Amino acid sequence: NLRFLIARKMIEQKIKGKIINITSRGAYRGEPTSPAYGATKAGLNSFSQSLAQALAKYDIYVYGVAPGFVRTDMTEEILSSPQGKSIISQSPLNRVARPEEIAKMVLFLSSDSADYATGAIMDINGASYLH
């Protein structure tokens, strides 16, 4: 039922557009210390794909962006701790994402070039987790 979604307003006003949900690699690999986090991100992936199918006929495109660790003010403390080296080494790039790398993917998905990718969940994790 789409009655509580922004999609309803987009359909009513005949607005074509994009919905981009930010999820996480945790949706795929599980999060043993935060199982609700992993479960909700997996649910958001499925929700995004379901919406992509339901809204395509209205020219509304839906995507998910699933980053791994991103270096932000919020993650700086853990990345600077002894545990940080282990996190950073999860990627063969030997680093975590920069915020602008995630933003560039969102920008691309916002463009007309990404229309046919509706329903895609874009894993942006530096090959730290492949499924």
Side-chain angles (χ1 to χ4, degrees):
N1 189 325
L2 301 176
R3 69 175 184 237
F4 296 110
L5 303 175
I6 188 65
R8 179 177 62 110
K9 289 292 182 190
M10 292 172 77
I11 292 167
E12 288 171 1
Q13 296 175 19
K14 296 183 178 12
I15 297 172
K16 298 176 183 181
K18 313 289 178 121
I19 297 171
I20 303 169
N21 294 310
I22 306 300
T23 74
S24 170
R25 72 176 179 175
Y28 302 113
R29 66 183 202 141
E31 296 292 335
T33 60
S34 304
Y37 177 83
T40 57
K41 296 303 183 175
L44 187 54
N45 285 354
S46 180
F47 181 68
S48 298
Q49 291 175 326
S50 296
L51 284 180
Q53 291 181 330
L55 299 175
K57 64 185 172 189
Y58 301 104
D59 292 321
I60 299 171
Y61 306 98
V62 186
Y63 312 91
V65 173
F69 251 88
V70 180
R71 187 172 291 276
T72 64
D73 292 343
M74 194 167 124
T75 63
E76 191 58 43
E77 186 175 334
I78 193 167
L79 291 172
S80 298
S81 76
Q83 186 181 1
K85 187 173 183 171
S86 172
I87 293 167
I88 291 167
S89 70
Q90 291 173 8
S91 168
L93 300 174
N94 203 36
R95 66 177 181 83
V96 297
R98 297 182 300 270
E100 58 270 19
E101 291 173 307
I102 308 308
K104 286 177 183 178
M105 179 56 71
V106 171
L107 183 62
F108 168 71
L109 293 174
S110 300
S111 76
D112 293 342
S113 296
D115 289 356
Y116 203 71
T118 191
I121 308 299
M122 307 304 289
D123 295 325
I124 307 181
N125 61 56
S128 66
Y129 182 79
L130 302 173
H131 57 95

